[in-house]
Amino acid sequence: MFEHEGENDSSCCSINGSVRKSHHSDKVKNSLVSRLNRIEGQVRGVKGLIERDTYCDDVLNQISSIQSALNGVGKLLLEHHLKSCVIERIQEGDSEVLTELMITMNKLIK
């Protein structure tokens, strides 16, 4: 599922002024955008199902599929964040990144 093993971006968490930015490779960015485009289409499809009074169980199954797809995007993003931004900031002596990471992970798994 994660065909991007070994890809590293040299400055994932650069600070541009006071705004932090990620720098994903084009391959990773395209993969994320493609997945999000499919999810967007699925959400529009669920809206149509509800408008057509589709049986609730069928709609709920589609919602479950969307949640799973979003989790996949989150896992991909988290993996890249850990392999680049988090490691980079720890190497720079910024241990605050661990607190930030724990808060984010708690949000992802609730």
Side-chain angles (χ1 to χ4, degrees):
M1 180 165 135
F2 296 115
E3 65 279 347
H4 50 275
E5 295 291 337
E7 288 181 23
N8 273 332
D9 299 312
S10 60
S11 60
C12 176
C13 293
S14 68
I15 298 177
N16 186 3
S18 63
V19 178
R20 290 183 300 182
K21 295 186 109 183
S22 283
H23 299 285
H24 301 289
S25 68
D26 287 341
K27 182 178 180 181
V28 171
K29 192 182 295 189
N30 289 339
S31 175
L32 290 168
V33 169
S34 176
R35 288 170 181 236
L36 290 169
N37 285 338
R38 281 194 303 272
I39 292 166
E40 185 178 20
Q42 288 176 296
V43 170
R44 281 193 307 271
V46 166
K47 180 181 173 189
L49 293 175
I50 290 171
E51 289 171 343
R52 292 187 302 276
D53 296 319
T54 302
Y55 184 60
C56 294
D57 191 60
D58 295 336
V59 176
L60 291 168
N61 283 320
Q62 289 301 312
I63 289 171
S64 175
S65 176
I66 293 167
Q67 288 171 328
S68 179
L70 278 172
N71 286 340
V73 170
K75 287 176 190 176
L76 181 61
L77 211 48
L78 179 60
E79 179 183 350
H80 279 276
H81 184 55
L82 288 170
K83 288 182 175 181
S84 52
C85 301
V86 173
I87 289 173
E88 181 181 304
R89 288 178 60 190
I90 288 172
Q91 289 172 339
E92 292 171 354
D94 181 1
S95 61
E96 185 64 28
V97 70
L98 296 175
T99 302
E100 177 185 280
L101 179 62
M102 291 307 300
I103 291 168
T104 298
M105 289 185 70
N106 283 329
K107 289 176 183 177
L108 283 172
I109 62 175
K110 71 175 183 177

PDB file of all heavy atoms in Angstrom, residues 82 84-99 101:
ATOM      1  N   LEU A  82       6.193  11.422  10.242  1.00  0.00           N
ATOM      2  CA  LEU A  82       7.132  10.772  11.160  1.00  0.00           C
ATOM      3  C   LEU A  82       8.511  10.618  10.536  1.00  0.00           C
ATOM      4  O   LEU A  82       9.530  10.869  11.189  1.00  0.00           O
ATOM      5  CB  LEU A  82       6.606   9.395  11.573  1.00  0.00           C
ATOM      6  CG  LEU A  82       5.432   9.388  12.529  1.00  0.00           C
ATOM      7  CD1 LEU A  82       4.863   7.981  12.649  1.00  0.00           C
ATOM      8  CD2 LEU A  82       5.837   9.921  13.885  1.00  0.00           C
ATOM      9  N   SER A  84       9.947  12.291   8.256  1.00  0.00           N
ATOM     10  CA  SER A  84      10.649  13.497   7.833  1.00  0.00           C
ATOM     11  C   SER A  84      10.556  14.588   8.903  1.00  0.00           C
ATOM     12  O   SER A  84      11.514  14.829   9.626  1.00  0.00           O
ATOM     13  CB  SER A  84      10.123  13.980   6.486  1.00  0.00           C
ATOM     14  OG  SER A  84       8.720  14.110   6.516  1.00  0.00           O
ATOM     15  N   CYS A  85       9.419  15.207   9.035  1.00  0.00           N
ATOM     16  CA  CYS A  85       9.267  16.355   9.936  1.00  0.00           C
ATOM     17  C   CYS A  85       9.650  16.028  11.375  1.00  0.00           C
ATOM     18  O   CYS A  85      10.423  16.752  11.995  1.00  0.00           O
ATOM     19  CB  CYS A  85       7.829  16.868   9.917  1.00  0.00           C
ATOM     20  SG  CYS A  85       7.242  17.381   8.306  1.00  0.00           S
ATOM     21  N   VAL A  86       9.099  14.956  11.914  1.00  0.00           N
ATOM     22  CA  VAL A  86       9.332  14.624  13.323  1.00  0.00           C
ATOM     23  C   VAL A  86      10.810  14.303  13.547  1.00  0.00           C
ATOM     24  O   VAL A  86      11.432  14.835  14.478  1.00  0.00           O
ATOM     25  CB  VAL A  86       8.412  13.466  13.781  1.00  0.00           C
ATOM     26  CG1 VAL A  86       8.775  13.014  15.187  1.00  0.00           C
ATOM     27  CG2 VAL A  86       6.949  13.902  13.731  1.00  0.00           C
ATOM     28  N   ILE A  87      11.373  13.467  12.697  1.00  0.00           N
ATOM     29  CA  ILE A  87      12.794  13.114  12.842  1.00  0.00           C
ATOM     30  C   ILE A  87      13.660  14.366  12.726  1.00  0.00           C
ATOM     31  O   ILE A  87      14.575  14.591  13.521  1.00  0.00           O
ATOM     32  CB  ILE A  87      13.203  12.054  11.799  1.00  0.00           C
ATOM     33  CG1 ILE A  87      12.572  10.709  12.169  1.00  0.00           C
ATOM     34  CG2 ILE A  87      14.719  11.950  11.692  1.00  0.00           C
ATOM     35  CD1 ILE A  87      12.758   9.629  11.128  1.00  0.00           C
ATOM     36  N   GLU A  88      13.356  15.191  11.742  1.00  0.00           N
ATOM     37  CA  GLU A  88      14.127  16.416  11.524  1.00  0.00           C
ATOM     38  C   GLU A  88      14.090  17.317  12.754  1.00  0.00           C
ATOM     39  O   GLU A  88      15.125  17.817  13.205  1.00  0.00           O
ATOM     40  CB  GLU A  88      13.563  17.151  10.306  1.00  0.00           C
ATOM     41  CG  GLU A  88      14.274  18.427   9.927  1.00  0.00           C
ATOM     42  CD  GLU A  88      13.610  19.076   8.723  1.00  0.00           C
ATOM     43  OE1 GLU A  88      13.471  18.422   7.676  1.00  0.00           O
ATOM     44  OE2 GLU A  88      13.227  20.255   8.845  1.00  0.00           O
ATOM     45  N   ARG A  89      12.914  17.519  13.303  1.00  0.00           N
ATOM     46  CA  ARG A  89      12.788  18.407  14.464  1.00  0.00           C
ATOM     47  C   ARG A  89      13.447  17.820  15.706  1.00  0.00           C
ATOM     48  O   ARG A  89      14.044  18.558  16.489  1.00  0.00           O
ATOM     49  CB  ARG A  89      11.320  18.744  14.697  1.00  0.00           C
ATOM     50  CG  ARG A  89      10.799  19.703  13.625  1.00  0.00           C
ATOM     51  CD  ARG A  89       9.349  20.039  13.762  1.00  0.00           C
ATOM     52  NE  ARG A  89       9.045  20.673  15.030  1.00  0.00           N
ATOM     53  CZ  ARG A  89       7.803  20.884  15.457  1.00  0.00           C
ATOM     54  NH1 ARG A  89       6.768  20.516  14.712  1.00  0.00           N
ATOM     55  NH2 ARG A  89       7.591  21.450  16.627  1.00  0.00           N
ATOM     56  N   ILE A  90      13.382  16.518  15.895  1.00  0.00           N
ATOM     57  CA  ILE A  90      14.065  15.891  17.031  1.00  0.00           C
ATOM     58  C   ILE A  90      15.572  16.059  16.877  1.00  0.00           C
ATOM     59  O   ILE A  90      16.273  16.391  17.841  1.00  0.00           O
ATOM     60  CB  ILE A  90      13.674  14.403  17.156  1.00  0.00           C
ATOM     61  CG1 ILE A  90      12.225  14.293  17.662  1.00  0.00           C
ATOM     62  CG2 ILE A  90      14.628  13.675  18.108  1.00  0.00           C
ATOM     63  CD1 ILE A  90      11.663  12.879  17.631  1.00  0.00           C
ATOM     64  N   GLN A  91      16.078  15.854  15.671  1.00  0.00           N
ATOM     65  CA  GLN A  91      17.511  16.019  15.422  1.00  0.00           C
ATOM     66  C   GLN A  91      17.967  17.452  15.666  1.00  0.00           C
ATOM     67  O   GLN A  91      19.117  17.696  16.021  1.00  0.00           O
ATOM     68  CB  GLN A  91      17.868  15.590  13.994  1.00  0.00           C
ATOM     69  CG  GLN A  91      17.793  14.097  13.798  1.00  0.00           C
ATOM     70  CD  GLN A  91      17.963  13.668  12.345  1.00  0.00           C
ATOM     71  OE1 GLN A  91      17.767  14.441  11.418  1.00  0.00           O
ATOM     72  NE2 GLN A  91      18.300  12.402  12.152  1.00  0.00           N
ATOM     73  N   GLU A  92      17.054  18.399  15.497  1.00  0.00           N
ATOM     74  CA  GLU A  92      17.364  19.810  15.760  1.00  0.00           C
ATOM     75  C   GLU A  92      17.209  20.150  17.236  1.00  0.00           C
ATOM     76  O   GLU A  92      17.387  21.292  17.636  1.00  0.00           O
ATOM     77  CB  GLU A  92      16.463  20.712  14.920  1.00  0.00           C
ATOM     78  CG  GLU A  92      16.736  20.630  13.432  1.00  0.00           C
ATOM     79  CD  GLU A  92      15.691  21.352  12.588  1.00  0.00           C
ATOM     80  OE1 GLU A  92      14.678  21.829  13.150  1.00  0.00           O
ATOM     81  OE2 GLU A  92      15.888  21.418  11.368  1.00  0.00           O
ATOM     82  N   GLY A  93      16.828  19.159  18.054  1.00  0.00           N
ATOM     83  CA  GLY A  93      16.677  19.382  19.496  1.00  0.00           C
ATOM     84  C   GLY A  93      15.306  19.871  19.909  1.00  0.00           C
ATOM     85  O   GLY A  93      15.105  20.266  21.053  1.00  0.00           O
ATOM     86  N   ASP A  94      14.349  19.842  19.007  1.00  0.00           N
ATOM     87  CA  ASP A  94      12.990  20.316  19.295  1.00  0.00           C
ATOM     88  C   ASP A  94      12.141  19.159  19.793  1.00  0.00           C
ATOM     89  O   ASP A  94      11.499  18.457  19.022  1.00  0.00           O
ATOM     90  CB  ASP A  94      12.388  20.922  18.033  1.00  0.00           C
ATOM     91  CG  ASP A  94      10.987  21.473  18.240  1.00  0.00           C
ATOM     92  OD1 ASP A  94      10.472  21.409  19.374  1.00  0.00           O
ATOM     93  OD2 ASP A  94      10.411  21.959  17.248  1.00  0.00           O
ATOM     94  N   SER A  95      12.126  18.962  21.119  1.00  0.00           N
ATOM     95  CA  SER A  95      11.349  17.852  21.680  1.00  0.00           C
ATOM     96  C   SER A  95       9.863  18.187  21.787  1.00  0.00           C
ATOM     97  O   SER A  95       9.046  17.301  22.029  1.00  0.00           O
ATOM     98  CB  SER A  95      11.899  17.446  23.049  1.00  0.00           C
ATOM     99  OG  SER A  95      11.818  18.533  23.944  1.00  0.00           O
ATOM    100  N   GLU A  96       9.503  19.438  21.570  1.00  0.00           N
ATOM    101  CA  GLU A  96       8.090  19.846  21.589  1.00  0.00           C
ATOM    102  C   GLU A  96       7.289  19.117  20.510  1.00  0.00           C
ATOM    103  O   GLU A  96       6.087  18.933  20.628  1.00  0.00           O
ATOM    104  CB  GLU A  96       7.988  21.360  21.408  1.00  0.00           C
ATOM    105  CG  GLU A  96       6.584  21.907  21.525  1.00  0.00           C
ATOM    106  CD  GLU A  96       5.961  21.712  22.907  1.00  0.00           C
ATOM    107  OE1 GLU A  96       6.705  21.660  23.895  1.00  0.00           O
ATOM    108  OE2 GLU A  96       4.719  21.613  22.982  1.00  0.00           O
ATOM    109  N   VAL A  97       7.977  18.674  19.463  1.00  0.00           N
ATOM    110  CA  VAL A  97       7.315  17.964  18.375  1.00  0.00           C
ATOM    111  C   VAL A  97       6.648  16.685  18.893  1.00  0.00           C
ATOM    112  O   VAL A  97       5.628  16.255  18.348  1.00  0.00           O
ATOM    113  CB  VAL A  97       8.290  17.668  17.213  1.00  0.00           C
ATOM    114  CG1 VAL A  97       9.321  16.626  17.589  1.00  0.00           C
ATOM    115  CG2 VAL A  97       7.523  17.235  15.973  1.00  0.00           C
ATOM    116  N   LEU A  98       7.188  16.087  19.941  1.00  0.00           N
ATOM    117  CA  LEU A  98       6.598  14.860  20.487  1.00  0.00           C
ATOM    118  C   LEU A  98       5.246  15.143  21.133  1.00  0.00           C
ATOM    119  O   LEU A  98       4.301  14.366  20.972  1.00  0.00           O
ATOM    120  CB  LEU A  98       7.551  14.197  21.481  1.00  0.00           C
ATOM    121  CG  LEU A  98       8.866  13.710  20.867  1.00  0.00           C
ATOM    122  CD1 LEU A  98       9.789  13.172  21.939  1.00  0.00           C
ATOM    123  CD2 LEU A  98       8.604  12.674  19.794  1.00  0.00           C
ATOM    124  N   THR A  99       5.136  16.254  21.858  1.00  0.00           N
ATOM    125  CA  THR A  99       3.848  16.651  22.442  1.00  0.00           C
ATOM    126  C   THR A  99       2.840  16.919  21.331  1.00  0.00           C
ATOM    127  O   THR A  99       1.696  16.462  21.388  1.00  0.00           O
ATOM    128  CB  THR A  99       4.023  17.903  23.321  1.00  0.00           C
ATOM    129  OG1 THR A  99       4.982  17.608  24.335  1.00  0.00           O
ATOM    130  CG2 THR A  99       2.707  18.331  23.946  1.00  0.00           C
ATOM    131  N   LEU A 101       2.881  15.707  18.326  1.00  0.00           N
ATOM    132  CA  LEU A 101       2.557  14.434  17.693  1.00  0.00           C
ATOM    133  C   LEU A 101       1.546  13.639  18.512  1.00  0.00           C
ATOM    134  O   LEU A 101       0.603  13.072  17.958  1.00  0.00           O
ATOM    135  CB  LEU A 101       3.831  13.617  17.482  1.00  0.00           C
ATOM    136  CG  LEU A 101       3.659  12.244  16.860  1.00  0.00           C
ATOM    137  CD1 LEU A 101       3.064  12.352  15.455  1.00  0.00           C
ATOM    138  CD2 LEU A 101       4.997  11.514  16.818  1.00  0.00           C
TER     139      LEU A 101
END
